[in-house]
């Protein structure tokens, strides 16, 4: 769903570029607070003037109001606005679905808070990775004879290939994202 949301954001960006609205040249994230306010005003067909723009732009935005005003001074047509609306609504739906899934994952992880905290303490492992580890391997490590068996099961141990006295070095399997 995150990939689909990113695709929708890219489509919105492409439509804006087609309409000669260059928000990305002045805002680091056009889907941040200021960018969303401006995009919603564009979607609603509002005429954005300097005073209205001051109210839309968050105080943390580094770009000046005049730079933002010149960046949104494009030629947006009805077709652009309609397509923006379709993609905006789909992106909003995906964001709500992602939030619901994250809440569901949090609820399902509640019996494993201690394990999540322990895994989260490992450098390079965040809460999402800890959730993936628990979902894939469980919390009962007694089913694995040793750490080597666990690494082998997870597909992260290097192979040991030898033929006719010659050893062939093989890299560990690449773990794919879920």
């Amino acid at each position: 769903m995150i990939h689909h949301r990113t695709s929708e954001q890219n489509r919105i960006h492409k439509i804006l570029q087609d309409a000669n609205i260059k928000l990305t040249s002045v805002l680091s994230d056009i889907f941040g607070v200021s960018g969303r306010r401006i995009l919603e005003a564009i979607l609603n067909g509002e005429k954005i003037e300097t005073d209205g723009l001051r109210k839309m732009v968050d105080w943390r935005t580094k770009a000046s109001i005049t730079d933002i005003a010149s960046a949104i001074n494009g030629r947006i047509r009805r077709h652009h606005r309609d397509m923006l609306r379709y993609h905006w609504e789909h992106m909003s739906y995906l964001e709500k679905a992602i939030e619901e899934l994250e809440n569901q994952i949090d609820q399902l992880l509640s019996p494993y808070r201690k394990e999540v905290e322990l895994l989260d303490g490992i450098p390079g492992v965040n809460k999402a990775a800890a959730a993936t580890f628990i979902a894939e391997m469980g919390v009962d490590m007694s089913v694995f004879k040793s750490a080597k068996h666990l690494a082998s099961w997870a597909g992260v141990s290097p192979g040991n290939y030898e033929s006719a006295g010659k050893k062939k070095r093989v890299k560990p399997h690449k773990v794919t994202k879920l």
Side-chain angles (χ1 to χ4, degrees):
M1 287 190 178
I2 291 171
H3 293 294
H4 290 299
R5 180 186 62 189
T6 302
S7 295
E8 291 299 337
Q9 289 174 342
N10 289 338
R11 289 181 187 107
I12 289 170
H13 179 257
K14 184 177 179 181
I15 293 167
L16 291 172
Q17 292 293 323
D18 186 53
N20 202 29
I21 295 174
K22 309 292 184 187
L23 270 177
T24 54
S25 64
V26 292
L27 298 178
S28 60
D29 181 14
I30 64 170
F31 299 100
V33 174
S34 300
R36 284 181 183 265
R37 289 177 185 159
I38 293 169
L39 287 172
E40 286 174 353
I42 291 171
L43 284 171
N44 294 330
E46 297 176 22
K47 183 176 181 183
I48 304 172
E49 296 182 2
T50 308
D51 293 333
L53 195 57
R54 277 195 181 89
K55 293 176 186 172
M56 290 181 214
V57 176
D58 190 65
W59 64 273
R60 294 171 289 191
T61 303
K62 293 182 175 123
S64 69
I65 299 297
T66 55
D67 289 343
I68 296 172
S70 64
I72 61 173
N73 187 15
R75 294 185 50 97
I76 190 157
R77 297 187 174 99
R78 180 166 175 77
H79 167 73
H80 293 122
R81 193 170 283 115
D82 290 342
M83 293 305 296
L84 282 171
R85 184 172 320 300
Y86 297 138
H87 294 299
W88 184 266
E89 288 173 358
H90 190 224
M91 183 187 73
S92 298
Y93 165 77
L94 290 170
E95 287 173 341
K96 289 176 188 169
I98 290 168
E99 186 177 332
E100 288 173 10
L101 278 173
E102 287 174 347
N103 290 337
Q104 187 177 10
I105 290 169
D106 282 343
Q107 288 175 353
L108 293 171
L109 278 177
S110 62
Y112 307 105
R113 290 290 170 216
K114 181 180 175 188
E115 290 85 353
V116 170
E117 288 176 16
L118 288 170
L119 287 168
D120 195 21
I122 300 171
V125 177
N126 61 10
K127 186 178 174 186
T132 303
F133 290 153
I134 291 171
E136 291 292 327
M137 295 179 280
V139 292
D140 181 16
M141 295 295 122
S142 67
V143 296
F144 300 104
K145 294 179 185 176
S146 68
K148 289 182 180 180
H149 283 90
L150 173 62
S152 177
W153 181 86
V156 292
S157 61
N160 185 14
Y161 298 100
E162 185 176 343
S163 177
K166 294 183 180 179
K167 290 186 177 183
K168 181 180 176 184
R169 299 190 114 211
V170 179
K171 293 181 182 178
H173 296 286
K174 188 174 183 178
V175 177
T176 57
K177 290 184 179 181
L178 299 176

